[in-house]
Amino acid sequence: MHKDLFLISEKGFAISQQDATSYGIGWKFKEDPSQTLLKSDVHDVVNDYPAGFGFDIGGIEYGHDQNLDSVPFSDMRKLMVEAYKEGGFVTVSWHLGNPVTGGNSWDTTPAIPQILEGGEYHETYKLWVKRVADFFKSVNYNDKPIPIIFRPFHEMNGSWFWWGGNNTTAIDYIKLWRETVEMLRDEYGVHNLLYVYSPNKLAPDDDYLKYYPADAYVDILGIDIYDFYNTEDYVEALKHDLKIVKEIAEQKNKLYAFTETGLEKVNTEGWFTEVLYPNIKYSGIAWVLFWRNYTVNHFYMPYKKQKLENDLIKFSKFPETLFLKDIQQIKTKK
């Protein structure tokens, strides 16, 4: 998969979406899991699927049978395998709960020192990581676990999650990342993951590498930048931050990607073709991941008859925007 992603980045960038096939506007896979064709709002608009399929395993740590967005893990496994079979790639984030309080990711009670080796909640956290490991090893096609791009502990330079910003120190964050990778890889035998490091949009005094766990623990560099209806600020961040990520990735000879973006309710005229596209066209990213389509008040990709439907269609026809059929061709040509 690593080689495929490098090939993709030479041709353009893969279009990806979070929960693209789990649910969309007015439908949920779990309500009709017998359907033979994958459904997606993106496909309804451009007649092609995203090339990258995002999922979140938040909730698995508590032993729940569905994630924090009510997607059953059994369905998720099916959808991941289906995406892989079709030639797409799978990315996974983990909005894990707070192991000290039992709250969610947004419960900012500091927790890292207590879950590191020697900490009071270390055994709890080890069990959580084992549940993650068991799930990843169970996502099989032809009796082998499929490759998965794993993006844990994201947006750590912000303070909205218990693992980031004012709720921890860079030293403890790095220890947590390394211990987690070592547990998954060495203790629980998970070998089908590529690990992604993805801070949030950089503040003027932010150091992109402040929380970086070291080259041996990271495969891909990323960044999350959203447009909060402040187009000028968004474009500046794209230009500035993606340039920094590109420079560091090239120094380290690593892949890099635009790991989360979007404009909620996408209704800025020409957003895909005039705001986003010109500023990522030559960035060298392997993929861009748009956030999910959850409700008519919280969605990041146009759906049928939505205002920006035609803008997405136009965007999909640029040579650099690679959807599922495009990357299927790249893979067959290699």
Side-chain angles (χ1 to χ4, degrees):
M1 180 173 64
H2 220 155
K3 285 180 188 166
D4 290 336
L5 290 168
F6 270 112
L7 282 171
I8 287 165
S9 69
E10 287 166 8
K11 302 281 184 188
F13 42 88
I15 304 304
S16 314
Q17 190 188 14
Q18 188 74 5
D19 288 330
T21 52
S22 303
Y23 49 77
I25 304 304
W27 62 273
K28 291 178 181 170
F29 176 82
K30 73 175 181 181
E31 289 172 359
D32 185 16
S34 62
Q35 57 192 14
T36 49
L37 290 174
L38 292 178
K39 181 164 176 56
S40 114
D41 288 349
V42 169
H43 188 276
D44 288 349
V45 172
V46 303
N47 198 33
D48 199 357
Y49 293 99
F53 298 77
F55 298 90
D56 195 284
I57 56 168
I60 206 158
E61 66 279 3
Y62 288 126
H64 296 164
D65 60 1
Q66 53 184 22
N67 79 352
L68 74 170
D69 300 315
S70 304
V71 178
F73 289 111
S74 55
D75 286 353
M76 192 184 294
R77 188 183 292 110
K78 278 186 218 162
L79 292 169
M80 287 175 166
V81 171
E82 201 58 39
Y84 177 70
K85 270 169 59 181
E86 292 298 320
F89 60 91
V90 170
T91 73
V92 173
S93 50
W94 184 20
H95 284 88
L96 69 161
N98 186 312
V100 169
T101 63
N104 62 23
S105 299
W106 296 268
D107 176 342
T108 55
T109 307
I112 295 181
Q114 292 99 305
I115 62 173
L116 293 171
E117 194 166 346
E120 185 185 349
Y121 290 86
H122 182 61
E123 290 305 314
T124 299
Y125 184 63
K126 275 188 77 168
L127 173 63
W128 285 17
V129 176
K130 183 174 188 309
R131 286 172 175 156
V132 170
D134 290 345
F135 178 74
F136 283 150
K137 289 196 288 188
S138 77
V139 187
N140 290 318
Y141 179 57
N142 287 341
D143 297 323
K144 278 178 21 187
I146 70 165
I148 289 171
I149 297 165
F150 186 37
R151 192 169 63 95
F153 311 123
H154 64 303
E155 299 175 3
M156 75 301 290
N157 53 329
S159 297
W160 41 89
F161 298 131
W162 59 260
W163 58 80
N166 298 329
N167 311 312
T168 187
T169 64
I171 288 170
D172 279 351
Y173 178 91
I174 288 166
K175 281 183 190 166
L176 174 65
W177 184 292
R178 290 182 182 181
E179 282 192 16
T180 304
V181 171
E182 285 166 3
M183 266 189 255
L184 284 167
R185 185 189 62 205
D186 306 333
E187 199 164 340
Y188 299 132
V190 181
H191 301 296
N192 56 320
L193 304 182
L194 292 174
Y195 294 90
V196 189
Y197 170 81
S198 65
N200 193 55
K201 171 187 163 188
L202 302 174
D205 56 350
D206 276 359
D207 170 9
Y208 178 81
L209 292 174
K210 178 179 177 181
Y211 299 88
Y212 189 64
D215 290 351
Y217 293 87
V218 173
D219 299 291
I220 300 169
L221 304 183
I223 194 154
D224 297 0
I225 309 169
Y226 281 87
D227 182 349
F228 294 103
Y229 287 90
N230 50 355
T231 305
E232 203 173 302
D233 183 52
Y234 178 68
V235 167
E236 276 311 302
L238 290 184
K239 289 176 179 171
H240 177 266
D241 293 6
L242 288 174
K243 183 168 179 274
I244 287 171
V245 178
K246 177 178 185 171
E247 285 169 359
I248 294 170
E250 287 178 347
Q251 285 164 15
K252 295 178 174 298
N253 195 28
K254 289 190 184 290
L255 276 164
Y256 58 103
F258 193 1
T259 40
E260 268 188 52
T261 194
L263 173 75
E264 191 177 51
K265 296 200 277 197
V266 282
N267 56 18
T268 295
E269 206 68 55
W271 189 79
F272 289 95
T273 55
E274 294 165 27
V275 176
L276 181 69
Y277 175 71
N279 295 294
I280 61 173
K281 182 179 178 181
Y282 298 119
S283 61
I285 54 174
W287 76 85
V288 52
L289 182 130
F290 299 95
W291 205 239
R292 63 199 189 129
N293 279 19
Y294 192 54
T295 67
V296 290
N297 293 313
H298 183 67
F299 67 92
Y300 292 85
M301 284 298 245
Y303 50 91
K304 270 290 191 195
K305 299 201 166 79
Q306 194 269 338
K307 183 178 175 181
L308 262 66
E309 180 184 15
N310 288 331
D311 193 49
L312 182 63
I313 292 168
K314 191 174 166 189
F315 177 74
S316 74
K317 291 178 177 167
F318 292 135
E320 298 86 2
T321 56
L322 306 174
F323 287 76
L324 186 59
K325 289 173 191 165
D326 300 312
I327 70 161
Q328 284 168 344
Q329 288 178 345
I330 290 169
K331 287 179 169 188
T332 55
K333 283 178 183 169
K334 69 176 180 181

